[in-house]
Amino acid sequence: MGELNGRIGGPRLGYDLRADWDGEKLRGRVGGPFQGRDIALTLHGGNVDGRVGGTFAGFDVDGEVTPQGARVRLGGRVGGDDVRLTADGDRMTGRFSGRVSGKDVELRRSGDRLEGRIGGVVDGKDVGLSLGGVPAELAALAALCAYKVLEDEQTAASTSVHLSS
């Protein structure tokens, strides 16, 4: 029924996002075949739930996604991140994670494209997705899931470099 394709982050430090949409389930992959994670989200009656990654190296997705925006938890109560988005016409704005250590979200739908930025000018990531029939608010959530995967991978790589020094 639809296909979501694009990239979160830049050409060197970014991940592809590719997923198929059947009207209720969004299933695909963040990253490549070796480095990345599977994404499986179900949207039913405004409720979204699913999983990004595997049983151990992954996180749950649970919350609410409507044409007005999203209120979703990525991960658990302790090590997770909140997503708060508000849709206003073709713009989606909000926060990823918290008020203090979180990132701003600025996305805009233009035709069949969802583009914008998660985070600031220095430490943020660009979003460029072809919607292919996927609801823009669900695509925005998938972009934030991809952003979390990318940030988690970069944090783990940075930690392992510091530990081996």
Side-chain angles (χ1 to χ4, degrees):
M1 186 171 179
E3 191 173 299
L4 183 64
N5 285 304
R7 189 143 179 99
I8 310 304
R12 193 173 65 82
L13 294 175
Y15 274 164
D16 290 333
L17 172 57
R18 302 200 184 296
D20 293 321
W21 169 245
D22 70 4
E24 186 174 285
K25 295 180 192 276
L26 184 71
R27 295 187 182 277
R29 185 98 176 137
V30 174
F34 301 110
Q35 187 172 359
R37 299 199 181 147
D38 292 334
I39 183 169
L41 304 177
T42 300
L43 180 62
H44 185 72
N47 293 316
V48 67
D49 61 54
R51 184 98 180 141
V52 177
T55 304
F56 299 106
F59 56 89
D60 290 328
V61 177
D62 185 39
E64 192 177 287
V65 174
T66 66
Q68 292 75 36
R71 296 202 177 286
V72 179
R73 183 76 176 167
L74 305 181
R77 289 180 182 237
V78 176
D81 295 290
D82 288 323
V83 171
R84 301 282 185 256
L85 293 176
T86 301
D88 183 15
D90 288 334
R91 290 186 62 215
M92 278 183 261
T93 58
R95 290 289 282 176
F96 168 86
S97 205
R99 285 181 32 199
V100 176
S101 64
K103 310 287 187 211
D104 289 331
V105 179
E106 289 279 340
L107 302 172
R108 180 176 295 280
R109 180 181 183 162
S110 177
D112 191 44
R113 301 273 312 157
L114 183 67
E115 297 178 333
R117 192 144 176 98
I118 302 168
V121 175
V122 175
D123 64 345
K125 306 279 187 276
D126 290 329
V127 173
L129 297 173
S130 172
L131 296 173
V134 176
E137 54 279 0
L138 183 60
L141 176 60
L144 286 159
C145 289
Y147 177 83
K148 179 170 172 53
V149 168
L150 187 55
E151 289 287 298
D152 289 351
E153 294 284 333
Q154 288 177 344
T155 299
S158 174
T159 301
S160 68
V161 167
H162 285 40
L163 290 175
S164 65
S165 298

